Amino acid sequence: MPAHTRTVWPDIQNARLRHQLGGSLGAPRVATDIRIGTRVDRDLSSGGGNDAKVARVQEILARDHK
């Protein structure tokens, strides 16, 4: 199992447990959406990937808050 998967798996398990808790406390509905994607159609540049996406979003937010 990849290291990243091992680090987020407890969060996924906690979401499932929160669903069970919400139901036991009488919540009529509890919803969590999880999207998992893999891209194999092109290479990511070194230093790219999610870090580059996060940096770009932060850049845009900083510009919009000036």
Side-chain angles (χ1 to χ4, degrees), residues 21-51:
L21 177 62
S24 69
L25 294 174
R29 289 188 181 158
V30 180
T32 298
D33 295 321
I34 299 173
R35 179 174 181 213
I36 300 171
T38 302
R39 183 160 200 165
V40 295
D41 61 330
R42 65 183 177 102
D43 291 333
L44 295 175
S45 62
S46 178
N50 287 337
D51 292 337

Side-chain angles (χ1 to χ4, degrees), residues 57-66:
V57 169
Q58 289 172 334
E59 204 178 282
I60 291 168
L61 291 173
R63 182 190 65 210
D64 290 348
H65 289 292
K66 285 184 179 179

